[in-house]
Amino acid sequence: MDILISALRLALSPHNIGFLFLGCAVGLIVGVLPGLGPVFGVSLFLPLTFSLPVDSALILLAAIYAATAYGDGITSILLNVPGGPSGVAVTFDGYPMTQQGKAGIALGALAGSAFIGDLIGILALVTIAPMLADFSLKLGPAEYFMLTMFGVSMVAVIGRGKGQAVKGLILGALGLVISFMGQDIITGQLRFTFGWEYLEDGVPFVSASIGLFALAQALILGEEGGSIAGESVLVNKPWIGVAAVIRHWYVTVRSAITGVFLSMCPGIGITTSSLLSYFIETRLSKDPDSYGKGNVRGVIAPQAASNAVTAGELIPALSLGIPSGATSAIFIAALTLHGLRPGLEFFSAGGVKVYAVFVGMFFAAITFFLAGMFLTPLFARVTKMANALLVPIIIILCLIGCFALRNRVEDLIICAVFGLIGYFLFKYKWPVQCIVLGLVLGSLAEKNFHRALQISDGSYSIFVTKPMSLAVLIIIVVIIGWTYLGDPIKKLKAHA
Amino acid sequence: MNSKEKLRNPIFLFNACVLLAFIFLNFIANSFPEDARRFPKFVLGIGIVILVFWMVIYFLFPKVVQFIEAQEEVEEGSEGNRTRYYWAWFCIAVPILIGYLFGFIFIIPAAFLAYGLILGDRTKLVSLMIIMVITTVVFYLGFDHLLNIPLLKGVFLDLG
């Protein structure tokens, strides 16, 4: 108890409160910029923490991380432009809500679910961190491969949800094939680069997703004219969204727990976790057809998972010294720079400062939640802005987001190409998210596929002899079977 | 829908392009070492099977397509909308080109002027100019000076 009070005092010292507010402000700004996600925000401020005490440094970085994950969803809802890769899943239902004039409710749900997701993540970090991290270490490449295949199988679910099961599969395959471009991580072989040096690093996911969602959206808005919300009446009541989070508490908790679990698996990351949480929720829902059309649960699920990941990623990082993603790797770097060694003794060696960081993360969650609630009416007004003014701003933000990560003009070309593809897919109502899922999971699936085969000396039996891998495989078969055979069987019964 | 209309259907054309691309990539993948081609060929193979399956049922068994997939009617854009679409592309291309030649700072006024004059409400030129100037200053100072986010430098002007 004494250590908690001391941690509270330390976290709430004036300079730490200052860093907490700074972190939240920076996180929100970086979050709403298309393409710039948590990794960018945290890495941008890492050099600034060199001269800070370890508790202030970690509070600053943790606040940036959590606020960026929340901020990513804001433009996803308002403009159908993901603020970062983690905001992609929020667009599916957030933007349809905006088109119905319910941007305020969606933003309230976003803030509420981000807050609860963060709290559950922090709770897991403080209580069950060592135990869960130990379990995640028992997962081998075969299990990881099956988990990524589980993610890929979700393209069937998305497609089916939109009544376009085969199109979902085609786009999923296209996304996977695009992810193969560049240098093979196992053999070093250059694949599908066509002699273009730029493609050796692969197709950049950020530029591709900005093009698919943001640029395509800019084109559609430019073509339509008017404003996003049109004549619909704005409902600027974020507390209705927060009430929805409380009413659907099971969605929030389930998605946050999914996020915590997935965040501990190396390489899965915030984007995949939020996408998978969304698709799991559509699968478990009694009315899956309402998703993609402005279902508030479609905002709650991915955002709760995203923010749970921000704390969950620190579980293996702090307790075992193993980063499960780029952001947690930066956290480890920050700890090392300040003379702390992450690992099993970290909690005892760090003492009060470690718990001060957890308390700081808790207050960061409160800060961005309150900021979100107060700023929501202001944010929602953006949807009434004329598209002729909004579109140039979207384009400028897209260009900054694309260029800032790698400073390469070619990224802008990739963005434009994917913008054209995205426009076509949106126009013909194809499930565009399937291509993103394939793109995200492709390299992860292939890496673990090869590793598993290396372990088994090329025998494919490894995927069915490992109990966990077999269990996931059975789940995949059931999902695909249910997805493709369920509806035709129902229709046959109806005909009969 | 008769066969000619089916062939001109944009969805068919898109699928045909993807199928050709997959066959071509599958052919290229043969030259990779065994480990590097195994997974891509597996995915490409599945993709080709799905696409061929889709095309067969699309042409021969249209009722099966309806049975598997709920076909949504796509609203054809009006002539005015199509013109706005081409202008929208023009309004994206011009600022990028100007940015490439003269640097990021010129992208903002170029984008605002292009959209405002071509697709916007031309009666509100004064407010457009004010917003354009404010956005340019805020974005440039905010990104380049405050956040230190690297911005595109021009071929002719080394101004961020």
Side-chain angles (χ1 to χ4, degrees):
Chain A
M1 194 63 192
D2 285 348
I3 200 165
L4 200 65
I5 292 168
S6 306
L8 204 62
R9 274 200 198 126
L10 188 59
L12 294 180
S13 59
H15 65 280
N16 276 345
I17 289 179
F19 285 119
L20 196 134
F21 283 134
L22 176 69
C24 284
V26 170
L28 281 174
I29 294 169
V30 173
V32 296
L33 295 174
L36 300 185
V39 182
F40 181 85
V42 173
S43 53
L44 188 73
F45 271 75
L46 179 65
L48 298 182
T49 65
F50 291 168
S51 55
L52 297 179
V54 65
D55 48 301
S56 305
L58 291 181
I59 285 172
L60 176 68
L61 295 179
I64 293 173
Y65 192 14
T68 310
Y70 161 66
D72 277 350
I74 295 173
T75 43
S76 302
I77 287 172
L78 296 176
L79 309 168
N80 203 20
V81 174
S86 66
V88 170
V90 178
T91 59
F92 305 157
D93 278 279
Y95 187 66
M97 284 183 80
T98 297
Q99 286 175 310
Q100 295 158 18
K102 295 178 189 166
I105 298 174
L107 288 169
L110 185 85
S113 53
F115 176 66
I116 305 282
D118 226 20
L119 289 192
I120 290 174
I122 295 167
L123 203 66
L125 178 62
V126 177
T127 55
I128 52 172
M131 190 177 70
L132 286 174
D134 192 39
F135 174 73
S136 75
L137 282 181
K138 287 181 182 150
L139 301 179
E143 287 85 355
Y144 276 121
F145 175 70
M146 279 302 160
L147 275 175
T148 49
M149 283 295 105
F150 173 73
V152 173
S153 72
M154 288 299 160
V155 298
V157 181
I158 315 165
R160 178 216 171 248
K162 293 190 170 246
Q164 298 173 329
V166 180
K167 289 173 193 165
L169 283 178
I170 293 168
L171 290 185
L174 186 63
L176 282 171
V177 170
I178 293 169
S179 77
F180 297 143
M181 288 179 166
Q183 196 168 35
D184 177 28
I185 36 173
I186 302 292
T187 60
Q189 168 76 31
L190 292 178
R191 299 184 304 193
F192 311 130
T193 57
F194 309 103
W196 191 16
E197 193 190 330
Y198 168 78
L199 279 182
E200 288 177 11
D201 294 332
V203 173
F205 172 71
V206 169
S207 301
S209 61
I210 289 177
L212 278 173
F213 289 95
L215 203 60
Q217 190 59 33
L219 280 168
I220 290 169
L221 292 177
E223 185 186 9
E224 286 172 353
S227 65
I228 294 173
E231 297 302 311
S232 55
V233 181
L234 275 186
V235 185
N236 280 336
K237 293 170 182 167
W239 57 87
I240 298 178
V242 178
V245 174
I246 297 166
R247 197 167 59 249
H248 302 298
W249 61 269
Y250 51 94
V251 175
T252 320
V253 172
R254 188 162 53 204
S255 304
I257 291 172
T258 309
V260 168
F261 175 72
L262 292 174
S263 67
M264 288 183 298
C265 305
I268 291 204
I270 193 166
T271 312
T272 314
S273 302
S274 63
L275 281 167
L276 283 180
S277 297
Y278 177 84
F279 298 129
I280 289 171
E281 213 46 58
T282 59
R283 192 67 278 185
L284 293 176
S285 172
K286 286 176 185 165
D287 53 345
D289 293 342
S290 66
Y291 283 85
K293 294 169 185 165
N295 188 332
V296 74
R297 281 171 284 166
V299 173
I300 294 170
Q303 195 56 45
S306 286
N307 275 80
V309 168
T310 60
E313 259 199 13
L314 297 181
I315 293 173
L318 298 185
S319 55
L320 296 164
I322 298 170
S324 57
T327 319
S328 53
I330 297 169
F331 267 90
I332 290 179
L335 285 174
T336 316
L337 282 168
H338 287 89
L340 279 176
R341 280 181 63 188
L344 288 171
E345 291 168 11
F346 169 73
F347 288 86
S348 53
V352 176
K353 288 179 178 178
V354 173
Y355 289 94
V357 174
F358 299 153
V359 173
M361 287 168 74
F362 171 72
F363 282 104
I366 295 177
T367 308
F368 76 69
F369 172 72
L370 291 176
M373 294 303 284
F374 285 115
L375 293 174
T376 290
L378 194 71
F379 288 147
R381 275 193 210 154
V382 171
T383 62
K384 283 283 182 188
M385 203 170 155
N387 284 348
L389 284 177
L390 200 58
V391 172
I393 295 175
I394 295 175
I395 292 170
I396 293 159
L397 290 175
C398 289
L399 297 181
I400 293 172
C402 273
F403 187 76
L405 283 180
R406 308 197 308 172
N407 303 345
R408 298 190 71 158
V409 180
E410 293 95 329
D411 285 350
L412 304 180
I413 299 169
I414 292 290
C415 178
V417 171
F418 276 89
L420 193 62
I421 296 171
Y423 173 83
F424 175 84
L425 297 176
F426 272 119
K427 216 60 188 167
Y428 285 92
K429 295 176 182 170
W430 280 46
V432 67
Q433 47 279 52
C434 294
I435 205 169
V436 175
L437 203 61
L439 205 54
V440 171
L441 295 175
S443 58
L444 194 63
E446 189 180 14
K447 187 170 67 185
N448 288 301
F449 176 77
H450 279 298
R451 282 183 185 162
L453 289 182
Q454 275 170 355
I455 290 170
S456 67
D457 285 331
S459 168
Y460 290 92
S461 63
I462 190 170
F463 298 113
V464 287
T465 50
K466 296 235 172 195
M468 179 82 175
S469 170
L470 181 65
V472 181
L473 180 65
I474 291 169
I475 294 170
I476 294 170
V477 172
V478 169
I479 285 179
I480 292 182
W482 185 11
T483 302
Y484 286 100
L485 298 177
D487 277 357
I489 289 170
K490 271 185 205 165
K491 282 183 184 176
L492 275 176
K493 278 183 182 170
H495 276 287
Chain B
M1 203 189 281
N2 62 35
S3 293
K4 268 189 183 172
E5 283 171 339
K6 277 183 180 174
L7 280 171
R8 276 187 301 207
N9 183 343
I11 295 173
F12 166 77
L13 291 173
F14 179 80
N15 278 344
C17 290
V18 175
L19 178 64
L20 287 175
F22 277 14
I23 292 170
F24 175 63
L25 293 177
N26 197 40
F27 176 72
I28 291 179
N30 287 330
S31 62
F32 302 156
E34 173 66 25
D35 277 347
R37 71 172 180 230
R38 192 165 6 181
F39 199 63
K41 277 184 80 78
F42 172 69
V43 173
L44 285 165
I46 291 177
I48 290 169
V49 168
I50 295 169
L51 282 160
V52 171
F53 167 76
W54 186 88
M55 285 189 177
V56 169
I57 60 169
Y58 174 72
F59 276 105
L60 302 180
F61 311 104
K63 280 189 179 171
V64 179
V65 176
Q66 287 169 4
F67 204 69
I68 298 174
E69 302 201 311
Q71 294 294 304
E72 287 193 57
E73 285 298 316
V74 176
E75 303 136 32
E76 280 296 316
S78 65
E79 193 60 42
N81 265 11
R82 271 202 292 276
T83 313
R84 285 183 70 89
Y85 165 68
Y86 294 125
W87 278 120
W89 261 113
F90 175 79
C91 295
I92 289 175
V94 167
I96 292 178
L97 183 68
I98 289 176
Y100 178 71
L101 295 175
F102 303 108
F104 174 81
I105 198 165
F106 292 98
I107 289 181
I108 306 173
F112 270 98
L113 284 176
Y115 265 92
L117 295 178
I118 296 170
L119 296 171
D121 184 354
R122 272 166 247 177
T123 58
K124 294 177 181 170
L125 275 180
V126 177
S127 50
L128 176 79
M129 293 295 174
I130 293 168
I131 292 171
M132 185 185 83
V133 172
I134 292 171
T135 316
T136 309
V137 173
V138 168
F139 273 47
Y140 190 67
L141 291 180
F143 288 107
D144 198 58
H145 288 72
L146 204 65
L147 290 173
N148 271 327
I149 291 177
L151 301 173
L152 182 66
K153 294 201 188 306
V155 173
F156 298 121
L157 274 177
D158 192 18
L159 195 61

